[in-house]
Every structure is written in structure tokens, then in C-alpha cells.
Amino acid sequence: MKVLFVCKYNIGRSRMAEAIFNKFSKKNHADSCGVCTYYYLKKFNGKVPVGDPVLKVASETGLDITKKKIKQINRKLVENSDIIIAIMTKERAKKDIQKYVKNNKKFRLWELEDVSGTMKFGSAYKKHKINRDKIYKKVTGLIKKIG
């Protein structure tokens, strides 16, 4: 089974979910992408910006989310997935998720706060850590459910 995790920029939530899923799932595979990635693809050449607190939060649990390039959601990723999970607020999903994604019967929403825009490192770090722990619980629960 293939799971696609989606967040706004493919920098934090979806990348951590993908890394956790692939670390603990023995039979299935996950990928991740974002719905608004243009700025990061252009400005940072598809990489998570160095110094972003999400990198520290992920590394504390042995997750390396630095190697993979940021990906924009597209029809091929959606079609090749058995489950599509958006990790964002309901309001953000209504605004940013394309209709072909949210109208798909494979689509699910895990409501979680977006940390982007939290300018102070300490504040962003704490919020990313809270999100990481929530994502960990949801992902490990999903793995138990689907095998």
C-alpha cells in the first residue's frame, strides 16, 4: 500500500509523516508533497532551508528529512497512492487542496496547525515538536491499522 502525505509546503508535517511511516512500516511505503511549494522550490532549490527548526525537531527522533527534494502535488502522485492524507487545518485544506484531490475517495484530513510564519526559532521549535509528536501517534496508528 502506498500512502501520500500532503501539507502546505512539503517542509515539515508531510515530510515527518513520510519519514516516520517509512521507518516503521515493513510492508508499505509513503511519499510526501506540498500544495504551495513554488517559493521553496525556487528560492531554496527544493531543499528545506538550513536552520529551519523542523530539521532539529525531526533529527531529535532520528529522522533525516534533509535529503529529499520538496515536491509539488500532482495527478500522478495522487493516482499512484492508495491513501492520501492532508496534514493541515480544515480551512487550509478547503483553500489550498485541489478538487481532484479532496474529492477523491482516497483522501483523508488530519487536522493539525501550520507552524509556518512562526518567526521566532524557540516558538517555532516548540510548535514543530508538538506537531511531530501528534504526527508520530497518527502515523503509528495508521501503520497498525493497515499492517
Side-chain angles (χ1 to χ4, degrees):
M1 183 165 291
K2 191 165 184 177
V3 179
L4 179 64
F5 293 104
V6 182
C7 69
K8 187 172 181 180
Y9 300 118
N10 191 217
I11 287 180
R13 292 161 290 170
S14 60
R15 289 170 89 85
M16 284 192 285
E18 174 190 6
I20 293 164
F21 189 93
N22 289 334
K23 182 176 182 177
F24 293 107
S25 180
K26 304 297 181 214
K27 299 187 283 184
N28 303 297
H29 180 75
D31 200 354
S32 67
C33 61
V35 293
C36 302
T37 61
Y38 179 77
Y39 172 79
Y40 289 97
L41 286 170
K42 188 170 181 167
K43 183 167 182 175
F44 298 104
N45 196 28
K47 298 282 187 176
V48 177
V50 174
D52 192 301
V54 75
L55 299 175
K56 179 173 173 35
V57 167
S59 70
E60 289 173 351
T61 56
L63 302 174
D64 183 2
I65 61 170
T66 62
K67 292 183 175 105
K68 190 177 163 207
K69 282 200 161 212
I70 293 168
K71 270 196 257 184
Q72 174 69 34
I73 194 166
N74 61 58
R75 290 185 187 273
K76 186 175 180 181
L77 284 170
V78 170
E79 290 167 5
N80 291 336
S81 300
D82 299 299
I83 300 171
I84 304 155
I85 300 173
I87 308 172
M88 57 184 60
T89 64
K90 191 180 288 185
E91 295 78 26
R92 178 64 56 198
K94 282 182 186 178
K95 181 181 175 192
D96 290 340
I97 298 278
Q98 294 86 341
K99 284 185 180 180
Y100 74 89
V101 179
K102 60 185 165 193
N103 293 339
N104 192 306
K105 63 183 176 184
K106 302 183 280 187
F107 178 77
R108 301 176 188 177
L109 176 64
W110 287 355
E111 286 199 72
L112 208 59
E113 179 184 2
D114 184 0
V115 178
S116 63
T118 307
M119 299 314 250
K120 292 184 180 176
F121 183 90
S123 177
Y125 170 81
K126 289 174 190 169
K127 289 181 179 182
H128 278 302
K129 194 170 181 176
I130 290 167
N131 276 356
R132 180 203 62 208
D133 295 345
K134 288 179 181 178
I135 290 166
Y136 179 88
K137 287 178 186 174
K138 286 185 171 285
V139 170
T140 53
L142 175 65
I143 292 168
K144 288 177 185 171
K145 186 176 180 182
I146 65 175

